[in-house]
């Protein structure tokens, strides 16, 4: 269910996505959910999960797709561009500088140890976000059927993800539309 939200300005979109981008390198989706749902209340948890699902289906990085969709939702095409710039501008500058430093000092054992630690933190953040999003799925048990089917097909049967998506997406959309349209 889509709820009515206050109008989000271009400035709020830019600085909101800039804060998200600067909050976590290598995996900002956990920070994005927290900022968008819990702190700024731009979307409900269910709206975020639904939009995130759509963004995963689209080509490109999920967070980039999400920034464009949210920006477009609140400010149209200009909001999409502003959100995208907020997400990408500062990290672009920082990563260029870090790349130059890594080229010079990347072989040092301390740098290698630091990078391993950062990878562990990123994995934990992704796991935490997955658990929070799973709570939304538990509110609608029929959606769990599709989640389990995808998990089995990709992890255990080793089917290509694209084949699984295109195979299950039309059916899941049909089921969701029937349930949504028949809801009181």
């Amino acid at each position: 269910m889509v709820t009515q939200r206050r109008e989000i300005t271009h400035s709020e979109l830019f600085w909101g996505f800039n804060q998200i981008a600067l909050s976590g390198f290598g995996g900002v989706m956990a920070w994005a959910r927290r900022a968008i749902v819990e702190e700024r209340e731009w979307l409900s948890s269910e709206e975020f999960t639904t939009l995130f699902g759509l963004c995963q289906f689209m080509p490109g990085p999920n967070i980039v797709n999400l920034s464009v969709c949210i920006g477009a939702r609140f400010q149209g095409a200009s909001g999409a561009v502003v959100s995208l710039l907020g997400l990408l501008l500062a990290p672009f500058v920082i990563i260029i500088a870090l790349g130059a430093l890594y080229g010079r000092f990347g072989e040092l054992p301390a740098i290698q140890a630091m990078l391993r630690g950062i990878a562990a933190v990123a994995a934990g953040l992704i796991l935490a976000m997955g658990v929070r999003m799973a709570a939304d799925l538990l509110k609608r048990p029929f959606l769990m059927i599709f989640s389990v089917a995808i998990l089995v097909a990709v992890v255990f049967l080793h089917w290509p993800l694209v084949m699984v998506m295109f195979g299950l997406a039309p059916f899941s959309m049909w089921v969701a539309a029937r349930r949504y349209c028949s809801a009181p």
Side-chain angles (χ1 to χ4, degrees), residues 60-118:
N62 297 332
I63 187 64
V64 170
N65 295 341
L66 190 66
S67 72
V68 170
C69 289
I70 290 173
R73 175 179 177 172
F74 291 109
Q75 289 292 334
S78 63
V81 170
V82 166
S83 295
L84 185 62
L85 283 174
L87 182 71
L88 298 178
L89 190 60
F92 175 77
V93 171
I94 291 169
I95 207 68
I96 294 298
L98 288 176
L101 289 171
Y102 182 77
R104 176 110 165 107
F105 303 107
E107 297 298 321
L108 295 175
I111 300 296
Q112 294 297 315
M114 181 183 70
L115 292 175
R116 283 191 298 276
I118 290 171

Side-chain angles (χ1 to χ4, degrees), residues 51-64:
L51 191 57
F52 180 65
L54 172 67
C55 292
Q56 284 186 310
F57 189 71
M58 297 184 320
N62 297 332
I63 187 64
V64 170

Side-chain angles (χ1 to χ4, degrees), residues 5 30 49 77 115 170 173:
R5 300 278 181 215
T49 300
L115 292 175
M173 286 186 274

Side-chain angles (χ1 to χ4, degrees), residues 140-155:
R140 295 182 173 190
F142 76 95
L143 292 176
M144 288 300 291
I145 295 168
F146 293 102
S147 298
V148 170
I150 292 168
L151 179 72
V152 168
V154 173
V155 174

